[in-house]
Amino acid sequence: MGIQEGDTPIRPADPPGTPGDHARDPGATVAEYVDLASDLRGAVDGDVRFDEYAQILYATDGSIYQARPAGVVYPKDVEDVQNAVEVATAHEVPLMPRGAGSSLGGQTVGPGCVVLDMSRHMDGLLDVDPDAQRARIQPGLVQDDLDDRLAEHGLKFAPDPASSNRSTVGGGIGNNSTGAHSVRYGITDAYTEEVKAVLSDGSMLHARPVVLDSDEYEDIVSKDDREAEIYETVRALVEENEEEIEARYPELKRRVSGYNLDRVVYENDEGEEVINLAKLYVGSEGTLGVMVEATVGLVTVPEKTALALYCFDDLVDAMEAVPEALEFDVSAVELMDDEVFRLALESDGYAEYAEPIPDGAAAALMLEYDSELHDDFEAAIAETNDYFVDNGDAFDVLEAYTEEDQADMWKLRKAAIPLLMSLEGDPKPYPFIEDATVPPEELAEYVMEFEEVLEDHDTSAAYFAHAGSGTLHIRPILNLKTENDIEKMHSITEDVTDLVLDHHGAFSGEHGDGMARTEFNPKMYGEDLWGAFKEIKTTFDPEWDMHPGNVVYRESPEDIGPDNDRGVGADNRENLRYGADYQSLEPQTTLDFDDEGGFSHLVELCNGCGTCRQHGSDTMCPTFRASREEIQATRGRANMLRAAISGELPEEEIYSDRFQEEVLDLCVGCKGCKSDCPTGVDMAKLKAEVKHKYHQEEGTSLRSRLFANIDLVSRVGSMLAPVSNWAQELPGSDAIAEKLGIAPERSLPHFASTTLEDWFDDRRTTVSAESAEDKVVLFPDTYTNYSYPEPGKAAVEVLEAAGIHVEIPEDAVPTGRAAFSMGKLDRAHDRAKRNVQVLLPYIEDGYSVVFVEPSDAVMLQDEYLDLLDGKAAERVGANAYGVSEYLHTHRVYDELTFADTGEFLTYHGHCNQKAINRDHHAAALLQQAGYQVDALDSGCCGMAGSFGYEEEHYDLSKAIGSILFEQVDESPGDQVVAPGASCRTQLGDRYESGGERPPHPIEKVRDALA
């Protein structure tokens, strides 16, 4: 008996007032589809969006293609899918199912299609049978979420694409996806046992193993319906083409082109011949129906693993070592080249993972060993070291035995694709023939011949991926904004597909056909099988309603099937995201975008990989995690900005209320995308620039001015305290807050009658500048100075206990963080300029600048460099630290003596510090102070300065916060600590009655002093 998990979504419920309300208005739909949209709204319970924003958001995926759909439906259940299919086909509009939209071949782009986004609601784990190692899932379930929920049973779903933290299992079945461990486990078709799919007439097909000529089979084919015709047709085509199937399907671990005619009929364990249409659905890319449920096989999770990274000074030497590596019992053989290493070293988020790679490594092979194959990892790695290093061409090896060290290596490998897309300028290493697969023993020769193709076309490429399976991701570098390189792309594909056939390979070993490779399937499979593919398509889908033009296409409307033009032709050069006609505006900006190649280039760095849709680790994207709205992911915002600067949207649209409210205002400015996005799309910076222009065009609201000048409000509040605090409790205060657009549910900051500056001035320093080990300027940020001075006092006490002289600068002004976040860049610039003038003399005199509030520290470390020109800002930023960062970086804790507290702390870091890799210092410092620390892998708290106070954002802020609250509740720590004022506010406000606000880490360090 299986464990009934139900289909409850993993995510929190959608908060009220999430964006897209405009899109639900039938009056906002594109005129061509008004009737279709209206009928769909009447037929389904899920949302229906047919406006221009929805079209733009779903026009792209992780590929090089772009094509506007008709609109989007978010089905809530199977009945919704059936009704949507019936309505769309009645209107003669094709349909396309979609998961996370991370596909690299254009599988989730459908011109003029009704997109069925299965990731919003149909994401349930319906049943788990641990004994049978089987799970029943809905298609929108993210693979890492599935594996997390299977972990208690010691099981996992074996195929593991690099995008597993956001890609859905249904999408993986549609593409026949796999990943690094296909050497050990194979690919998705081996694990897909049953599929339930809605056909184009709205009927349901249950694909499962059926013994040929059994009573069950005879019962199916005896009926006069679509299902009977499908079974008879598929069986006949397999039997009629037996020799062609044997000859044309290559013997590889990975082959995901075309329909799986070689796998749909097979012998079961009892020796019976079975037909299983589920195998045909795998890799069918939604062309044979909409999958609504699947039963998948599972494998046990090895208790432990180890990694060895072998470094070669020549790429071909690394390739020649691949078949040799397969002679050992390894579970993965992955390759990365020097271009991946270089780009990682230049990336804020990935540099630390590439730093251990030795100089001179032109390529590296990464071998994984697991405890189901090896009892002694060190002995196993010693054996391969002897072969590859002592007696082979590898010149060095990096070994990783801990989970943390292995995770660092895998993060580097999995970031390869989006990292490569971060290359400066318009030429990029684009995916179009990047996952061709050849037998591993032919890999080295294939690479050398591929290099000749590249030389013939005057370009180069980057190399990485699943060498052990013969799947090498090779991405030629082209500029697809030029006609010449668009034609070059097609010519390279022609040559490479010829080369792949010469090496007995497949055009795709992982990413499928989609818009990229469907055109070349006739070359691979020949006339007879190509005809069989078209007959299969027409039998399942007579009108070619389901994602036409993928996997198989028609040469003309009369070719086979009905007299319509769906699925005719497969040359998709006219559907490129960028093309020879693409142009974008490069606006004059207030911030400096030179390092990013300009404003437009930073927007265009988004390649659609969808990393921002992950919700189990790292920082970005908090609003997407809470709402699951595409427009609230970094990718969605980047797509909307790209549409605005390229003329796809009207010129004035970027200043419309809707664009501001839905695209920009819901970005909380956490900066997580600056580090977590592998291409470095810094949406917080883009938002600040656009909001600045918006304020110039449209003016600034009273509330925005209030928040941008929160330091003035706080100074007055502190001067009037405690009266100002009592005033917040008076009847009518909530009404005033509501009129200003401030959420009445929020507890407003209280004001200290004695500021941090007052306290500091009234005390006598214990360490003189002359006798000090070091000297610091403690910057009095607004919140610490006027509302909660205690962390500032603790910082002074800890610093002085370590023999450090502390001063507070009298002439400094607030950093401008609040003004920057609100897009008031003129004010932020003025404050940055003033503070640099004030602080530079201190730095020249040997002082460091220390902050209690992380966001203010990051302001000097990062944003000041965009606001100001010259070396002065760089020097000030280089000498600015968060207080924990300063104490840990300079090993100040060595000068301190701590008592044994025995406390176990839960640490929630600040998203701004995480974005520039400065957050880890606080947890390390707390450990040095004697605490046990559980450092959460948490995202933004959802408060985000003023965001959580804004009435229209309160529900979303709390929904984001609930994700953090759950992590805190699951932590073994006794008390949560957080350096950010916003984070401590959100954690303190988690209950309606309010709660005790967590301390700053520096307070706990002070408390631990002996």
Side-chain angles (χ1 to χ4, degrees):
M1 182 67 180
I3 298 174
Q4 299 298 319
E5 296 280 352
D7 59 355
T8 303
I10 298 167
R11 55 180 166 74
D14 292 346
T18 50
D21 290 337
H22 298 280
R24 298 186 185 108
D25 176 9
T29 57
V30 175
E32 182 181 354
Y33 300 110
V34 168
D35 292 340
L36 169 60
S38 177
D39 288 350
L40 283 168
R41 287 190 179 93
V44 303
D45 291 330
D47 289 342
V48 175
R49 302 183 186 174
F50 270 64
D51 64 300
E52 192 170 33
Y53 279 27
Q55 290 180 341
I56 290 170
L57 290 167
Y58 285 83
T60 57
D61 55 9
S63 72
I64 61 178
Y65 299 100
Q66 174 171 308
R68 282 202 188 191
V72 187
V73 175
Y74 302 88
K76 288 191 171 182
D77 50 31
V78 174
E79 186 178 359
D80 265 5
V81 174
Q82 290 178 296
N83 290 341
V85 168
E86 290 176 2
V87 170
T89 55
H91 281 265
E92 299 184 348
V93 175
L95 296 101
M96 179 194 71
R98 171 167 165 147
S102 57
S103 298
L104 294 171
Q107 289 92 338
T108 51
V109 173
C113 284
V114 173
V115 176
L116 301 177
D117 186 339
M118 313 297 279
S119 69
R120 175 72 62 77
H121 302 294
M122 298 186 68
D123 60 353
L125 173 57
L126 303 178
D127 178 72
V128 179
D129 187 340
D131 295 331
Q133 295 187 193
R134 183 176 293 120
R136 192 161 54 88
I137 58 100
Q138 291 182 309
L141 179 60
V142 172
Q143 175 157 342
D144 277 5
D145 290 341
L146 170 62
D147 287 341
D148 287 346
R149 298 172 75 179
L150 294 172
E152 64 178 294
H153 308 297
L155 300 171
K156 67 177 181 179
F157 186 55
D160 58 339
S163 58
S164 62
N165 61 2
R166 69 266 193 196
S167 59
T168 62
V169 180
I173 292 172
N175 290 350
N176 200 2
S177 295
T178 182
H181 293 88
S182 60
V183 166
R184 173 97 152 86
Y185 297 112
I187 63 177
T188 296
D189 60 50
Y191 298 92
T192 306
E193 300 177 3
E194 299 184 22
V195 163
K196 290 183 180 179
V198 177
L199 299 176
S200 58
D201 62 356
S203 64
M204 184 77 74
L205 177 69
H206 182 189
R208 74 258 186 214
V210 177
V211 176
L212 288 175
D213 301 322
S214 64
D215 290 344
E216 183 182 17
Y217 179 81
E218 293 300 331
D219 181 60
I220 291 171
V221 299
S222 67
K223 298 171 184 175
D224 183 19
D225 59 11
R226 178 80 59 83
E227 184 180 27
E229 182 184 3
I230 288 171
Y231 271 91
E232 290 183 310
T233 299
V234 172
R235 179 179 185 176
L237 289 172
V238 171
E239 292 173 349
E240 291 166 7
N241 291 281
E242 187 174 349
E243 291 184 4
E244 276 292 280
I245 291 171
E246 180 71 23
R248 290 283 185 171
Y249 283 82
E251 294 183 9
L252 299 166
K253 286 182 178 290
R254 304 158 67 119
R255 189 275 312 153
V256 300
S257 299
Y259 291 129
N260 290 331
L261 281 178
D262 60 329
R263 296 166 192 173
V264 69
V265 176
Y266 56 91
E267 278 193 6
N268 63 17
D269 293 339
E270 287 74 37
E272 301 166 312
E273 199 168 27
V274 168
I275 183 170
N276 187 352
L277 297 179
K279 305 298 182 183
L280 204 59
Y281 270 100
V282 179
S284 66
E285 301 181 6
T287 60
L288 305 181
V290 181
M291 185 181 71
V292 293
E293 186 182 305
T295 300
V296 296
L298 310 171
V299 298
T300 54
V301 180
E303 289 186 10
K304 294 182 179 179
T305 57
L307 290 174
L309 190 78
Y310 293 98
C311 301
F312 297 80
D313 56 18
D314 183 81
L315 176 66
V316 174
D317 288 345
M319 294 294 96
E320 289 177 341
V322 171
E324 298 168 350
L326 294 172
E327 296 296 319
F328 298 90
D329 287 329
V330 291
S331 48
V333 180
E334 296 289 290
L335 178 128
M336 293 175 279
D337 77 349
D338 52 358
E339 188 68 3
V340 174
F341 303 147
R342 182 183 72 81
L343 290 169
L345 285 169
E346 295 174 358
S347 165
D348 288 335
Y350 293 88
E352 63 180 301
Y353 309 127
E355 284 170 358
I357 306 297
D359 293 339
L365 283 183
M366 187 168 73
L367 276 57
E368 185 186 77
Y369 313 74
D370 72 54
S371 56
E372 293 184 349
L373 298 174
H374 297 279
D375 295 325
D376 186 338
F377 288 145
E378 291 186 358
I381 291 178
E383 184 180 4
T384 50
N385 286 350
D386 178 67
Y387 191 90
F388 291 113
V389 180
D390 299 339
N391 297 292
D393 292 322
F395 69 86
D396 201 355
V397 60
L398 303 178
E399 301 175 13
Y401 297 97
T402 68
E403 289 185 13
E404 182 180 6
D405 289 343
Q406 292 178 68
D408 287 352
M409 286 190 183
W410 278 117
K411 282 184 178 180
L412 179 62
R413 161 60 195 90
K414 290 189 174 187
I417 289 176
L419 272 173
L420 289 165
M421 295 304 291
S422 69
L423 277 175
E424 293 182 6
D426 288 332
K428 305 285 184 190
Y430 283 113
F432 52 93
I433 193 63
E434 90 288 355
D435 68 323
T437 301
V438 299
E441 60 272 16
E442 299 190 38
L443 203 51
E445 184 180 354
Y446 169 72
V447 167
M448 289 188 286
E449 293 174 355
F450 200 116
E451 284 281 351
E452 293 176 6
V453 171
L454 296 175
E455 287 180 19
D456 290 344
H457 290 87
D458 191 28
T459 189
S460 59
Y463 298 79
F464 63 98
H466 318 299
S469 300
T471 302
L472 198 61
H473 295 332
I474 307 178
R475 292 188 162 207
I477 298 174
L478 299 170
N479 180 3
L480 296 186
K481 294 180 180 179
T482 68
E483 190 67 41
N484 180 67
D485 277 17
I486 292 171
E487 294 307 310
K488 188 182 291 188
M489 176 183 69
H490 201 261
S491 177
I492 289 172
T493 309
E494 288 282 9
D495 290 350
V496 171
T497 49
D498 290 341
L499 182 61
V500 171
L501 291 181
D502 289 344
H503 285 277
H504 316 97
F507 299 163
S508 178
E510 181 175 13
H511 298 154
D513 295 324
M515 286 187 164
R517 284 172 287 274
T518 294
E519 176 185 358
F520 300 94
N521 275 340
K523 178 191 287 191
M524 179 171 172
Y525 290 105
E527 184 178 345
D528 291 343
L529 290 182
W530 182 243
F533 286 176
K534 288 190 284 189
E535 190 170 346
I536 285 173
K537 169 65 175 171
T538 303
T539 304
F540 275 83
D541 178 21
E543 301 294 323
W544 286 53
D545 292 310
M546 312 305 292
H547 207 187
N550 286 259
V551 183
V552 63
Y553 66 92
R554 292 184 292 160
E555 284 76 10
S556 71
E558 294 77 25
D559 177 31
I560 184 170
D563 185 17
N564 66 45
D565 61 359
R566 291 183 209 147
V568 174
D571 182 349
N572 283 294
R573 280 175 280 182
E574 74 277 8
N575 286 324
L576 292 171
R577 185 186 307 189
Y578 303 107
D581 297 330
Y582 178 86
Q583 292 182 326
S584 62
L585 298 172
E586 182 57 47
Q588 284 191 326
T589 60
T590 300
L591 297 174
D592 183 357
F593 286 87
D594 287 349
D595 287 347
E596 294 89 355
F599 179 93
S600 62
H601 187 259
L602 180 55
V603 172
E604 292 167 5
L605 276 178
C606 177
N607 59 32
C609 67
T611 307
C612 47
R613 288 177 59 101
Q614 66 179 315
H615 46 83
S617 62
D618 296 329
T619 304
M620 75 170 184
C621 179
T623 48
F624 176 80
R625 292 186 187 191
S627 69
R628 303 294 175 88
E629 290 276 357
E630 178 70 19
I631 200 170
Q632 290 185 29
T634 304
R635 178 176 71 180
R637 294 184 178 107
N639 275 329
M640 295 303 298
L641 282 173
R642 182 169 52 81
I645 64 174
S646 65
E648 193 175 350
L649 283 171
E651 185 176 350
E652 67 278 3
E653 181 66 21
I654 199 168
Y655 301 118
S656 70
D657 289 343
R658 184 183 179 194
F659 196 97
Q660 294 294 313
E661 292 169 8
E662 292 191 18
V663 180
L664 296 180
D665 289 352
L666 290 165
C667 169
V668 298
C670 70
K671 295 172 65 73
C673 46
K674 181 179 174 68
S675 59
D676 293 351
C677 172
T679 58
V681 178
D682 188 346
M683 188 53 61
K685 182 176 180 178
L686 292 167
K687 172 192 173 181
E689 184 66 47
V690 177
K691 291 299 288 186
H692 175 65
K693 294 290 191 297
Y694 174 74
H695 292 320
Q696 289 180 322
E697 293 280 336
E698 304 293 332
T700 309
S701 70
L702 175 60
R703 188 183 66 183
S704 293
R705 292 197 298 274
L706 180 71
F707 284 137
N709 293 281
I710 193 64
D711 52 286
L712 177 60
V713 175
S714 298
R715 180 153 56 92
V716 173
S718 180
M719 291 170 60
L720 298 177
V723 175
S724 53
N725 297 323
W726 299 338
Q728 295 182 34
E729 311 300 327
L730 294 175
S733 59
D734 285 352
I736 295 173
E738 282 193 80
K739 283 189 177 182
L740 290 171
I742 297 173
E745 299 90 342
R746 281 290 180 199
S747 57
L748 296 174
H750 278 216
F751 303 109
S753 55
T754 301
T755 67
L756 175 65
E757 291 175 303
D758 293 339
W759 171 84
F760 189 83
D761 289 341
D762 289 343
R763 68 188 294 276
R764 179 179 297 175
T765 181
T766 62
V767 182
S768 68
E770 292 74 25
S771 64
E773 294 288 330
D774 206 345
K775 300 181 291 186
V776 303
V777 173
L778 182 65
F779 196 97
D781 70 86
T782 298
Y783 185 79
T784 304
N785 192 32
Y786 296 118
S787 290
Y788 188 47
E790 197 58 33
K793 297 176 185 178
V796 172
E797 291 166 9
V798 172
L799 288 163
E800 290 187 345
I804 294 170
H805 175 68
V806 182
E807 290 190 28
I808 290 182
E810 293 182 2
D811 298 326
V813 295
T815 63
R817 165 59 68 192
F820 187 94
S821 299
M822 300 303 297
K824 303 289 288 180
L825 297 185
D826 290 343
R827 186 168 186 81
H829 171 273
D830 292 344
R831 292 191 165 182
K833 184 177 179 180
R834 173 63 180 165
N835 282 329
V836 168
Q837 290 172 344
V838 169
L839 297 173
L840 187 59
Y842 283 102
I843 289 167
E844 290 174 342
D845 195 27
Y847 284 77
S848 298
V849 186
V850 173
F851 291 83
V852 170
E853 174 55 39
S855 62
D856 284 289
V858 173
M859 192 71 187
L860 271 71
Q861 294 164 333
D862 189 34
E863 279 86 356
Y864 274 20
L865 308 183
D866 295 324
L867 285 163
L868 301 173
D869 296 325
K871 298 292 184 182
E874 292 179 12
R875 189 168 180 190
V876 170
N879 288 278
Y881 303 87
V883 62
S884 298
E885 177 189 0
Y886 174 82
L887 292 167
H888 182 247
T889 300
H890 294 279
R891 297 184 64 89
V892 175
Y893 51 80
D894 287 342
E895 307 299 321
L896 300 170
T897 303
F898 297 104
D900 183 9
T901 67
E903 285 189 74
F904 195 158
L905 302 177
T906 297
Y907 173 71
H908 164 63
H910 196 280
C911 47
N912 285 181
Q913 285 189 315
K914 290 178 182 179
I916 60 171
N917 198 28
R918 306 289 182 100
D919 174 61
H920 57 284
H921 298 288
L925 177 65
L926 288 168
Q927 289 173 329
Q928 291 294 333
Y931 295 101
Q932 270 190 282
V933 181
D934 177 25
L936 299 178
D937 184 6
S938 51
C940 178
C941 69
M943 194 67 189
S946 64
F947 183 86
Y949 286 104
E950 293 163 356
E951 186 176 25
E952 70 274 22
H953 299 149
Y954 174 78
D955 289 326
L956 182 56
S957 171
K958 294 297 285 186
I960 297 169
S962 69
I963 301 171
L964 172 60
F965 302 158
E966 183 177 347
Q967 290 179 286
V968 169
D969 290 344
E970 291 175 352
S971 171
D974 304 316
Q975 183 182 31
V976 62
V977 296
S982 288
C983 308
R984 300 199 303 276
T985 299
Q986 181 80 300
L987 287 161
D989 282 358
R990 66 176 298 186
Y991 304 111
E992 287 185 12
S993 58
E996 183 180 349
R997 298 195 177 184
H1000 190 291
I1002 195 62
E1003 294 179 83
K1004 299 302 292 184
V1005 174
R1006 187 263 316 273
D1007 294 346
L1009 289 175

